[in-house]
Amino acid sequence: MGVSSKMMVMIFLGVLGFVGLAEAQLKLGYYAQSCPKAEAIVQDYVHQHIPHAQSMAAPLLRMQFHDCFVRGCDGSVLLNKTEVGNNDTEKTANPNLTLRGFGFIDSVKSMLEEECPGVVSCADIIALVARDSVWTVGGPWWPVTTGRRDGRISNASEALQDIPPPFSNFSSLQTSFASKGLDLKDLVLLSGAHTIGIAHCSSFNERLYNFSGRGYGQDPSLDSEYAANLKARKCKTPSDNTSIAEMDPGSHRTFDLSYYKLLLKRRGLFQSDAALTKSLTTLSYIKELVNGPLEAFFAEFGQAMVKMGEVQVLTGSAGEIRKHCAFVN
């Protein structure tokens, strides 16, 4: 699976030292005493199921992004709409309507509740499952600190506001990531998650048919041959909201550098992908990754995931440990 986990641990020691200053209550092996088998249970379940459903790795990784960008990494993306107050939760917001993997998280939670009732948070399960899924399909490994607690609040309006949409320009991406304490290098690295997975035509159809906003016109920054192929084979009409396309054509099941190479050929699927080439700073990061070894990307991607996984976490007595991930206690 590429770089050995032992080597990756050594690479990350400095990063964890820095992160530890920011979130002292999160730590590696947080459940070592309270639920010693917790991380092994998660890993075993992932290793049992993901090899037979490799397409699930990308959605489970995406779930962590969507969780952390709204109220921090608190598992609020998992909450169902409530009857009382008729509150629309993050799960019901447009950016999350195509999220998959909720049942997967619920299954892991059930096993952990059986082993150690009321101990392991849903927020930590999201983080562990994302890492283990990526590792299982041959991607990078990174150390996941644990000790997050689950949030009790989830609002669709906040998800709509805080999750960067696929039509984001560079300025809005920079602002969005900065608001979470993430810099331009993190933006480039975390966007590298688009090396695996698929997207619905609704996420990029305007680039093909309506970039002018007048019902016609193609995004001039999109490679014309690539655009023609998408129109002919994937999204054949402007109103197609159900068909899908690979985010990294020809390599969408492999965690590699192909995504960045496509960006340099003006073949990023989303407008937000293309936006990464609009800044000299982010463009230089992309070229550095493309010209470097895969191991360097793996290490740096993992560092960015560690950093994102610490965003606005709840620890100590804040929040709760949900008994069921879809409902507050």
Side-chain angles (χ1 to χ4, degrees):
M1 293 184 183
V3 189
S4 73
S5 57
K6 189 176 292 185
M7 182 186 302
M8 297 299 278
V9 170
M10 294 177 66
I11 292 171
F12 285 111
L13 286 177
V15 178
L16 287 175
F18 170 78
V19 168
L21 294 175
E23 294 294 347
Q25 291 172 291
L26 291 186
K27 64 178 183 179
L28 290 174
Y30 179 87
Y31 298 109
Q33 301 300 320
S34 59
C35 192
K37 296 180 181 177
E39 294 194 27
I41 287 172
V42 176
Q43 190 175 80
D44 288 348
Y45 188 84
V46 169
H47 286 175
Q48 181 183 350
H49 291 89
I50 293 299
H52 307 292
Q54 293 195 24
S55 63
M56 280 302 299
L60 290 166
L61 177 58
R62 182 182 177 219
M63 184 179 288
Q64 189 179 7
F65 294 150
H66 284 220
D67 184 41
C68 291
F69 265 78
V70 186
R71 290 189 166 265
C73 311
D74 67 345
S76 54
V77 72
L78 301 172
L79 289 171
N80 283 350
K81 181 176 179 178
T82 57
E83 296 279 342
V84 180
N86 195 31
N87 178 50
D88 286 332
T89 59
E90 293 170 32
K91 190 186 283 190
T92 68
N94 192 57
N96 291 329
L97 293 179
T98 55
L99 271 187
R100 294 188 296 137
F102 295 108
F104 194 99
I105 299 295
D106 287 342
S107 295
V108 173
K109 177 63 171 173
S110 295
M111 296 175 68
L112 289 169
E113 283 297 298
E114 187 175 332
E115 177 72 19
C116 315
V119 174
V120 182
S121 70
C122 299
D124 278 342
I125 293 172
I126 290 175
L128 290 167
V129 165
R131 188 273 309 276
D132 291 343
S133 296
V134 169
W135 172 247
T136 300
V137 298
W141 182 95
W142 60 92
V144 174
T145 53
T146 43
R148 298 167 190 79
R149 288 173 65 84
D150 297 322
R152 297 188 180 100
I153 300 171
S154 182
N155 294 311
S157 58
E158 293 179 342
L160 196 59
Q161 174 183 306
D162 292 345
I163 297 172
F167 50 81
S168 297
N169 60 28
F170 176 77
S171 177
S172 62
L173 285 171
Q174 183 176 23
T175 300
S176 175
F177 274 66
S179 73
K180 305 301 175 187
L182 302 170
D183 58 28
L184 292 180
K185 191 163 192 176
D186 298 319
L187 167 59
V188 171
L189 290 164
L190 293 173
S191 296
H194 291 173
T195 184
I196 56 173
I198 54 89
H200 289 80
C201 291
S202 56
S203 301
F204 58 89
N205 243 356
E206 284 202 353
R207 297 192 76 197
L208 300 177
Y209 296 104
N210 189 27
F211 195 69
S212 64
R214 299 174 184 174
Y216 63 89
Q218 184 174 296
D219 184 349
S221 70
L222 186 63
D223 176 74
S224 57
E225 185 179 336
Y226 179 44
N229 183 277
L230 287 170
K231 287 179 178 179
R233 298 171 181 270
K234 304 292 182 181
C235 309
K236 298 179 181 180
T237 68
S239 58
D240 186 342
N241 293 319
T242 55
S243 297
I244 58 175
E246 300 85 3
M247 289 191 284
D248 185 359
S251 179
H252 75 285
R253 293 186 184 275
T254 308
F255 213 101
D256 57 19
L257 291 165
S258 176
Y259 164 77
Y260 295 112
K261 294 175 181 177
L262 290 174
L263 291 186
L264 297 179
K265 296 178 180 178
R266 300 190 298 122
R267 294 190 172 194
L269 188 61
F270 299 150
Q271 192 174 340
S272 58
D273 293 323
L276 300 180
T277 65
K278 306 300 183 185
S279 153
L280 290 177
T281 302
T282 50
L283 182 60
S284 68
Y285 289 144
I286 293 168
K287 290 179 177 178
E288 186 179 317
L289 287 166
V290 166
N291 293 321
L294 181 62
E295 291 78 9
F297 167 48
F298 275 22
E300 291 191 284
F301 179 84
Q303 289 172 15
M305 286 297 296
V306 169
K307 192 173 175 182
M308 186 191 73
E310 308 288 352
V311 169
Q312 297 170 305
V313 295
L314 300 175
T315 58
S317 60
E320 64 182 14
I321 303 298
R322 283 184 223 140
K323 295 174 184 176
H324 189 291
C325 290
F327 306 98
V328 296
N329 292 342

PDB file of all heavy atoms in Angstrom, residues 7-34:
ATOM      1  N   MET A   7       7.092   4.368   8.610  1.00  0.00           N
ATOM      2  CA  MET A   7       7.746   5.545   8.044  1.00  0.00           C
ATOM      3  C   MET A   7       6.848   6.764   8.179  1.00  0.00           C
ATOM      4  O   MET A   7       7.305   7.857   8.515  1.00  0.00           O
ATOM      5  CB  MET A   7       8.067   5.295   6.559  1.00  0.00           C
ATOM      6  CG  MET A   7       8.804   6.459   5.887  1.00  0.00           C
ATOM      7  SD  MET A   7       8.986   6.181   4.097  1.00  0.00           S
ATOM      8  CE  MET A   7       9.883   4.641   4.080  1.00  0.00           C
ATOM      9  N   MET A   8       5.542   6.571   7.931  1.00  0.00           N
ATOM     10  CA  MET A   8       4.621   7.688   8.025  1.00  0.00           C
ATOM     11  C   MET A   8       4.544   8.223   9.441  1.00  0.00           C
ATOM     12  O   MET A   8       4.412   9.416   9.672  1.00  0.00           O
ATOM     13  CB  MET A   8       3.219   7.257   7.551  1.00  0.00           C
ATOM     14  CG  MET A   8       3.158   6.844   6.094  1.00  0.00           C
ATOM     15  SD  MET A   8       3.625   8.163   4.967  1.00  0.00           S
ATOM     16  CE  MET A   8       2.094   9.070   4.885  1.00  0.00           C
ATOM     17  N   VAL A   9       4.627   7.330  10.446  1.00  0.00           N
ATOM     18  CA  VAL A   9       4.609   7.785  11.840  1.00  0.00           C
ATOM     19  C   VAL A   9       5.766   8.723  12.097  1.00  0.00           C
ATOM     20  O   VAL A   9       5.614   9.779  12.725  1.00  0.00           O
ATOM     21  CB  VAL A   9       4.665   6.575  12.807  1.00  0.00           C
ATOM     22  CG1 VAL A   9       4.899   7.067  14.233  1.00  0.00           C
ATOM     23  CG2 VAL A   9       3.390   5.769  12.741  1.00  0.00           C
ATOM     24  N   MET A  10       6.937   8.380  11.605  1.00  0.00           N
ATOM     25  CA  MET A  10       8.129   9.218  11.811  1.00  0.00           C
ATOM     26  C   MET A  10       7.941  10.584  11.144  1.00  0.00           C
ATOM     27  O   MET A  10       8.282  11.617  11.711  1.00  0.00           O
ATOM     28  CB  MET A  10       9.359   8.512  11.241  1.00  0.00           C
ATOM     29  CG  MET A  10       9.717   7.230  11.979  1.00  0.00           C
ATOM     30  SD  MET A  10      11.119   6.375  11.233  1.00  0.00           S
ATOM     31  CE  MET A  10      12.431   7.549  11.549  1.00  0.00           C
ATOM     32  N   ILE A  11       7.362  10.587   9.949  1.00  0.00           N
ATOM     33  CA  ILE A  11       7.137  11.841   9.224  1.00  0.00           C
ATOM     34  C   ILE A  11       6.222  12.767   9.992  1.00  0.00           C
ATOM     35  O   ILE A  11       6.387  13.979   9.997  1.00  0.00           O
ATOM     36  CB  ILE A  11       6.539  11.546   7.824  1.00  0.00           C
ATOM     37  CG1 ILE A  11       7.589  10.846   6.942  1.00  0.00           C
ATOM     38  CG2 ILE A  11       6.052  12.813   7.157  1.00  0.00           C
ATOM     39  CD1 ILE A  11       7.033  10.325   5.634  1.00  0.00           C
ATOM     40  N   PHE A  12       5.254  12.162  10.699  1.00  0.00           N
ATOM     41  CA  PHE A  12       4.214  12.969  11.330  1.00  0.00           C
ATOM     42  C   PHE A  12       4.520  13.405  12.762  1.00  0.00           C
ATOM     43  O   PHE A  12       3.753  14.151  13.341  1.00  0.00           O
ATOM     44  CB  PHE A  12       2.890  12.213  11.331  1.00  0.00           C
ATOM     45  CG  PHE A  12       2.239  12.184   9.994  1.00  0.00           C
ATOM     46  CD1 PHE A  12       2.145  11.011   9.277  1.00  0.00           C
ATOM     47  CD2 PHE A  12       1.740  13.344   9.437  1.00  0.00           C
ATOM     48  CE1 PHE A  12       1.550  10.991   8.034  1.00  0.00           C
ATOM     49  CE2 PHE A  12       1.142  13.324   8.193  1.00  0.00           C
ATOM     50  CZ  PHE A  12       1.046  12.153   7.492  1.00  0.00           C
ATOM     51  N   LEU A  13       5.608  12.964  13.340  1.00  0.00           N
ATOM     52  CA  LEU A  13       5.879  13.311  14.734  1.00  0.00           C
ATOM     53  C   LEU A  13       5.906  14.821  14.961  1.00  0.00           C
ATOM     54  O   LEU A  13       5.325  15.334  15.914  1.00  0.00           O
ATOM     55  CB  LEU A  13       7.213  12.701  15.183  1.00  0.00           C
ATOM     56  CG  LEU A  13       7.185  11.178  15.412  1.00  0.00           C
ATOM     57  CD1 LEU A  13       8.566  10.675  15.780  1.00  0.00           C
ATOM     58  CD2 LEU A  13       6.176  10.814  16.491  1.00  0.00           C
ATOM     59  N   GLY A  14       6.550  15.533  14.038  1.00  0.00           N
ATOM     60  CA  GLY A  14       6.631  16.988  14.173  1.00  0.00           C
ATOM     61  C   GLY A  14       5.267  17.639  14.033  1.00  0.00           C
ATOM     62  O   GLY A  14       4.925  18.570  14.764  1.00  0.00           O
ATOM     63  N   VAL A  15       4.464  17.137  13.086  1.00  0.00           N
ATOM     64  CA  VAL A  15       3.141  17.705  12.871  1.00  0.00           C
ATOM     65  C   VAL A  15       2.273  17.537  14.103  1.00  0.00           C
ATOM     66  O   VAL A  15       1.612  18.460  14.558  1.00  0.00           O
ATOM     67  CB  VAL A  15       2.448  17.013  11.667  1.00  0.00           C
ATOM     68  CG1 VAL A  15       1.055  17.565  11.486  1.00  0.00           C
ATOM     69  CG2 VAL A  15       3.273  17.223  10.421  1.00  0.00           C
ATOM     70  N   LEU A  16       2.294  16.335  14.687  1.00  0.00           N
ATOM     71  CA  LEU A  16       1.468  16.083  15.867  1.00  0.00           C
ATOM     72  C   LEU A  16       1.917  16.912  17.047  1.00  0.00           C
ATOM     73  O   LEU A  16       1.110  17.335  17.864  1.00  0.00           O
ATOM     74  CB  LEU A  16       1.503  14.594  16.212  1.00  0.00           C
ATOM     75  CG  LEU A  16       0.707  13.701  15.265  1.00  0.00           C
ATOM     76  CD1 LEU A  16       0.910  12.243  15.634  1.00  0.00           C
ATOM     77  CD2 LEU A  16      -0.755  14.052  15.308  1.00  0.00           C
ATOM     78  N   GLY A  17       3.216  17.159  17.137  1.00  0.00           N
ATOM     79  CA  GLY A  17       3.711  18.016  18.206  1.00  0.00           C
ATOM     80  C   GLY A  17       3.114  19.398  18.098  1.00  0.00           C
ATOM     81  O   GLY A  17       2.689  20.006  19.089  1.00  0.00           O
ATOM     82  N   PHE A  18       3.064  19.913  16.866  1.00  0.00           N
ATOM     83  CA  PHE A  18       2.487  21.247  16.632  1.00  0.00           C
ATOM     84  C   PHE A  18       0.993  21.243  16.912  1.00  0.00           C
ATOM     85  O   PHE A  18       0.462  22.104  17.600  1.00  0.00           O
ATOM     86  CB  PHE A  18       2.737  21.673  15.183  1.00  0.00           C
ATOM     87  CG  PHE A  18       1.984  22.908  14.792  1.00  0.00           C
ATOM     88  CD1 PHE A  18       2.429  24.165  15.177  1.00  0.00           C
ATOM     89  CD2 PHE A  18       0.817  22.824  14.047  1.00  0.00           C
ATOM     90  CE1 PHE A  18       1.723  25.312  14.816  1.00  0.00           C
ATOM     91  CE2 PHE A  18       0.111  23.955  13.697  1.00  0.00           C
ATOM     92  CZ  PHE A  18       0.579  25.201  14.082  1.00  0.00           C
ATOM     93  N   VAL A  19       0.298  20.233  16.388  1.00  0.00           N
ATOM     94  CA  VAL A  19      -1.148  20.154  16.576  1.00  0.00           C
ATOM     95  C   VAL A  19      -1.487  19.999  18.044  1.00  0.00           C
ATOM     96  O   VAL A  19      -2.450  20.555  18.548  1.00  0.00           O
ATOM     97  CB  VAL A  19      -1.734  18.970  15.755  1.00  0.00           C
ATOM     98  CG1 VAL A  19      -3.159  18.682  16.157  1.00  0.00           C
ATOM     99  CG2 VAL A  19      -1.660  19.297  14.274  1.00  0.00           C
ATOM    100  N   GLY A  20      -0.647  19.239  18.773  1.00  0.00           N
ATOM    101  CA  GLY A  20      -0.898  19.002  20.185  1.00  0.00           C
ATOM    102  C   GLY A  20      -0.966  20.283  20.985  1.00  0.00           C
ATOM    103  O   GLY A  20      -1.682  20.368  21.988  1.00  0.00           O
ATOM    104  N   LEU A  21      -0.220  21.299  20.565  1.00  0.00           N
ATOM    105  CA  LEU A  21      -0.264  22.577  21.264  1.00  0.00           C
ATOM    106  C   LEU A  21      -1.625  23.231  21.109  1.00  0.00           C
ATOM    107  O   LEU A  21      -2.118  23.900  22.014  1.00  0.00           O
ATOM    108  CB  LEU A  21       0.828  23.509  20.710  1.00  0.00           C
ATOM    109  CG  LEU A  21       2.270  23.067  20.956  1.00  0.00           C
ATOM    110  CD1 LEU A  21       3.222  24.010  20.240  1.00  0.00           C
ATOM    111  CD2 LEU A  21       2.569  23.037  22.447  1.00  0.00           C
ATOM    112  N   ALA A  22      -2.231  23.020  19.950  1.00  0.00           N
ATOM    113  CA  ALA A  22      -3.510  23.658  19.665  1.00  0.00           C
ATOM    114  C   ALA A  22      -4.672  22.915  20.317  1.00  0.00           C
ATOM    115  O   ALA A  22      -5.612  23.511  20.817  1.00  0.00           O
ATOM    116  CB  ALA A  22      -3.722  23.741  18.153  1.00  0.00           C
ATOM    117  N   GLU A  23      -4.615  21.601  20.303  1.00  0.00           N
ATOM    118  CA  GLU A  23      -5.714  20.803  20.848  1.00  0.00           C
ATOM    119  C   GLU A  23      -5.152  19.751  21.794  1.00  0.00           C
ATOM    120  O   GLU A  23      -5.069  18.574  21.490  1.00  0.00           O
ATOM    121  CB  GLU A  23      -6.506  20.140  19.704  1.00  0.00           C
ATOM    122  CG  GLU A  23      -7.230  21.109  18.804  1.00  0.00           C
ATOM    123  CD  GLU A  23      -8.348  21.850  19.517  1.00  0.00           C
ATOM    124  OE1 GLU A  23      -8.727  21.450  20.648  1.00  0.00           O
ATOM    125  OE2 GLU A  23      -8.844  22.837  18.945  1.00  0.00           O
ATOM    126  N   ALA A  24      -4.749  20.216  22.977  1.00  0.00           N
ATOM    127  CA  ALA A  24      -4.053  19.339  23.921  1.00  0.00           C
ATOM    128  C   ALA A  24      -4.916  18.174  24.385  1.00  0.00           C
ATOM    129  O   ALA A  24      -4.399  17.150  24.816  1.00  0.00           O
ATOM    130  CB  ALA A  24      -3.582  20.161  25.115  1.00  0.00           C
ATOM    131  N   GLN A  25      -6.241  18.300  24.304  1.00  0.00           N
ATOM    132  CA  GLN A  25      -7.110  17.248  24.798  1.00  0.00           C
ATOM    133  C   GLN A  25      -7.340  16.128  23.786  1.00  0.00           C
ATOM    134  O   GLN A  25      -7.916  15.107  24.123  1.00  0.00           O
ATOM    135  CB  GLN A  25      -8.437  17.846  25.262  1.00  0.00           C
ATOM    136  CG  GLN A  25      -8.292  18.698  26.520  1.00  0.00           C
ATOM    137  CD  GLN A  25      -9.575  19.440  26.836  1.00  0.00           C
ATOM    138  OE1 GLN A  25      -9.972  20.347  26.115  1.00  0.00           O
ATOM    139  NE2 GLN A  25     -10.240  19.072  27.908  1.00  0.00           N
ATOM    140  N   LEU A  26      -6.899  16.345  22.546  1.00  0.00           N
ATOM    141  CA  LEU A  26      -6.901  15.260  21.571  1.00  0.00           C
ATOM    142  C   LEU A  26      -5.542  14.587  21.644  1.00  0.00           C
ATOM    143  O   LEU A  26      -4.524  15.249  21.809  1.00  0.00           O
ATOM    144  CB  LEU A  26      -7.116  15.796  20.158  1.00  0.00           C
ATOM    145  CG  LEU A  26      -8.486  16.375  19.792  1.00  0.00           C
ATOM    146  CD1 LEU A  26      -8.517  16.714  18.314  1.00  0.00           C
ATOM    147  CD2 LEU A  26      -9.619  15.434  20.146  1.00  0.00           C
ATOM    148  N   LYS A  27      -5.535  13.284  21.501  1.00  0.00           N
ATOM    149  CA  LYS A  27      -4.238  12.605  21.537  1.00  0.00           C
ATOM    150  C   LYS A  27      -4.326  11.272  20.809  1.00  0.00           C
ATOM    151  O   LYS A  27      -5.416  10.716  20.609  1.00  0.00           O
ATOM    152  CB  LYS A  27      -3.777  12.400  22.976  1.00  0.00           C
ATOM    153  CG  LYS A  27      -4.661  11.485  23.812  1.00  0.00           C
ATOM    154  CD  LYS A  27      -4.083  11.316  25.224  1.00  0.00           C
ATOM    155  CE  LYS A  27      -4.920  10.336  26.047  1.00  0.00           C
ATOM    156  NZ  LYS A  27      -4.341  10.165  27.411  1.00  0.00           N
ATOM    157  N   LEU A  28      -3.187  10.758  20.435  1.00  0.00           N
ATOM    158  CA  LEU A  28      -3.149   9.421  19.861  1.00  0.00           C
ATOM    159  C   LEU A  28      -3.500   8.420  20.957  1.00  0.00           C
ATOM    160  O   LEU A  28      -3.067   8.555  22.102  1.00  0.00           O
ATOM    161  CB  LEU A  28      -1.752   9.121  19.313  1.00  0.00           C
ATOM    162  CG  LEU A  28      -1.328   9.893  18.055  1.00  0.00           C
ATOM    163  CD1 LEU A  28       0.120   9.586  17.724  1.00  0.00           C
ATOM    164  CD2 LEU A  28      -2.222   9.542  16.876  1.00  0.00           C
ATOM    165  N   GLY A  29      -4.297   7.428  20.607  1.00  0.00           N
ATOM    166  CA  GLY A  29      -4.643   6.393  21.576  1.00  0.00           C
ATOM    167  C   GLY A  29      -5.519   6.877  22.711  1.00  0.00           C
ATOM    168  O   GLY A  29      -5.426   6.368  23.835  1.00  0.00           O
ATOM    169  N   TYR A  30      -6.373   7.832  22.448  1.00  0.00           N
ATOM    170  CA  TYR A  30      -7.247   8.394  23.488  1.00  0.00           C
ATOM    171  C   TYR A  30      -8.077   7.305  24.180  1.00  0.00           C
ATOM    172  O   TYR A  30      -8.354   7.389  25.373  1.00  0.00           O
ATOM    173  CB  TYR A  30      -8.167   9.446  22.855  1.00  0.00           C
ATOM    174  CG  TYR A  30      -9.145  10.092  23.801  1.00  0.00           C
ATOM    175  CD1 TYR A  30      -8.784  11.210  24.552  1.00  0.00           C
ATOM    176  CD2 TYR A  30     -10.442   9.595  23.934  1.00  0.00           C
ATOM    177  CE1 TYR A  30      -9.685  11.811  25.420  1.00  0.00           C
ATOM    178  CE2 TYR A  30     -11.362  10.195  24.796  1.00  0.00           C
ATOM    179  CZ  TYR A  30     -10.964  11.295  25.537  1.00  0.00           C
ATOM    180  OH  TYR A  30     -11.860  11.881  26.398  1.00  0.00           O
ATOM    181  N   TYR A  31      -8.446   6.268  23.431  1.00  0.00           N
ATOM    182  CA  TYR A  31      -9.310   5.226  23.980  1.00  0.00           C
ATOM    183  C   TYR A  31      -8.526   4.019  24.513  1.00  0.00           C
ATOM    184  O   TYR A  31      -9.117   2.968  24.770  1.00  0.00           O
ATOM    185  CB  TYR A  31     -10.301   4.753  22.915  1.00  0.00           C
ATOM    186  CG  TYR A  31     -11.223   5.852  22.431  1.00  0.00           C
ATOM    187  CD1 TYR A  31     -11.081   6.396  21.141  1.00  0.00           C
ATOM    188  CD2 TYR A  31     -12.229   6.361  23.242  1.00  0.00           C
ATOM    189  CE1 TYR A  31     -11.919   7.403  20.696  1.00  0.00           C
ATOM    190  CE2 TYR A  31     -13.076   7.373  22.801  1.00  0.00           C
ATOM    191  CZ  TYR A  31     -12.910   7.897  21.537  1.00  0.00           C
ATOM    192  OH  TYR A  31     -13.743   8.904  21.105  1.00  0.00           O
ATOM    193  N   ALA A  32      -7.230   4.165  24.678  1.00  0.00           N
ATOM    194  CA  ALA A  32      -6.385   3.036  25.092  1.00  0.00           C
ATOM    195  C   ALA A  32      -6.855   2.391  26.394  1.00  0.00           C
ATOM    196  O   ALA A  32      -6.765   1.166  26.557  1.00  0.00           O
ATOM    197  CB  ALA A  32      -4.932   3.493  25.234  1.00  0.00           C
ATOM    198  N   GLN A  33      -7.370   3.190  27.308  1.00  0.00           N
ATOM    199  CA  GLN A  33      -7.847   2.657  28.588  1.00  0.00           C
ATOM    200  C   GLN A  33      -9.357   2.412  28.578  1.00  0.00           C
ATOM    201  O   GLN A  33      -9.841   1.398  29.063  1.00  0.00           O
ATOM    202  CB  GLN A  33      -7.498   3.632  29.725  1.00  0.00           C
ATOM    203  CG  GLN A  33      -6.014   3.928  29.878  1.00  0.00           C
ATOM    204  CD  GLN A  33      -5.198   2.678  30.176  1.00  0.00           C
ATOM    205  OE1 GLN A  33      -5.627   1.825  30.941  1.00  0.00           O
ATOM    206  NE2 GLN A  33      -4.031   2.559  29.555  1.00  0.00           N
ATOM    207  N   SER A  34     -10.110   3.355  28.015  1.00  0.00           N
ATOM    208  CA  SER A  34     -11.577   3.281  28.084  1.00  0.00           C
ATOM    209  C   SER A  34     -12.202   2.302  27.103  1.00  0.00           C
ATOM    210  O   SER A  34     -13.280   1.761  27.342  1.00  0.00           O
ATOM    211  CB  SER A  34     -12.185   4.673  27.881  1.00  0.00           C
ATOM    212  OG  SER A  34     -11.788   5.201  26.618  1.00  0.00           O
TER     213      SER A  34
END
